[in-house]
Amino acid sequence: MTAGPAVTETGVLTATEPEWDCACARFTVIAPLAALDAIGHAAADEAAVRLGLSRRQVYALVHRFRKGAGTVTDLLPGRSSGGRGARRLPEAMEEVIADHLTRMYLKRQKPSVAVVYRAIVGACVWQQLPVPARNTVAARIAALHPGEVARKREGTDSPAARSRRSAGGTVRVSVRRSSRCKSITPWLM
């Protein structure tokens, strides 16, 4: 058997049944529009109503259909890459970052973000993992609880840690009744 050219999988094998049905429904509406030289707003609006999409999405599908092979697979729904704010790193990389933040960054020595990042890069290279971007590490640091960061990096008696604690003691509340409204005045004991 001779090896032929590699065939790129276009979604036919990996598409689920609902995805394929959606692509076929899109094909019946988008293919006639793509054959036109210019698509008017009325035709795009009608297609949008039939597909349950916006006019802009119809134009995007027509563009994708024209740029592609002109087949049903060009209209398969896309898959999200995770979106904004979602963590997309492999779990092993997340563990390396979390471990180094706990062991290095949250210490009284107060190493800089650059020092912690270099240690994370070294650990990822040693474990043959992809290296995270520096802003990823900075984002993980920014997501840490400020009280915990102040307590662990500054100590429990530092002004930064003290300002995040409650005043302590018990709170006595006195209620004054007047004819117009109630006022609550807390008094510290």
Side-chain angles (χ1 to χ4, degrees):
M1 178 176 199
T2 60
V7 176
T8 304
E9 204 281 311
T10 58
V12 177
L13 299 176
T14 58
T16 63
E17 191 68 30
E19 290 173 337
W20 188 255
D21 292 341
C22 177
C24 289
R26 287 177 173 181
F27 183 81
T28 59
V29 176
I30 298 296
L33 287 178
L36 300 174
D37 289 335
I39 303 167
H41 288 312
D45 288 340
E46 181 184 333
V49 169
R50 287 180 59 192
L51 295 174
L53 301 172
S54 68
R55 181 192 303 165
R56 185 197 60 77
Q57 289 171 317
V58 169
Y59 285 126
L61 287 174
V62 169
H63 179 74
R64 193 176 359 156
F65 186 80
R66 287 176 176 168
K67 291 288 183 192
T71 61
V72 175
T73 57
D74 294 332
L75 302 174
L76 281 168
R79 289 195 170 83
S80 174
S81 63
R84 183 174 182 211
R87 294 190 173 186
R88 295 179 285 274
L89 297 180
E91 190 62 35
M93 279 178 65
E94 290 287 353
E95 289 175 9
V96 168
I97 293 171
D99 179 52
H100 278 75
L101 292 184
T102 303
R103 286 190 311 107
M104 289 184 70
Y105 186 76
L106 296 177
K107 295 296 179 194
R108 298 277 310 255
Q109 281 186 320
K110 295 189 244 177
S112 67
V113 176
V115 170
V116 175
Y117 177 70
R118 282 193 298 268
I120 291 171
V121 167
C124 287
V125 169
W126 185 74
Q127 294 180 23
Q128 297 179 345
L129 295 171
V131 176
R134 186 182 186 283
N135 63 345
T136 301
V137 175
R140 299 303 188 271
I141 289 172
L144 293 173
H145 189 277
E148 179 185 3
V149 172
R151 191 176 73 252
K152 291 193 175 180
R153 284 177 65 99
E154 305 287 337
T156 55
D157 293 332
S158 71
R162 269 188 269 137
S163 69
R164 298 196 192 304
R165 291 193 300 234
S166 66
T170 57
V171 177
R172 184 183 75 198
V173 178
S174 67
V175 178
R176 295 183 193 150
R177 296 182 191 265
S178 69
S179 61
R180 295 167 67 185
C181 63
K182 295 181 193 175
S183 64
I184 300 176
T185 308
W187 298 94
L188 289 178
M189 296 180 83

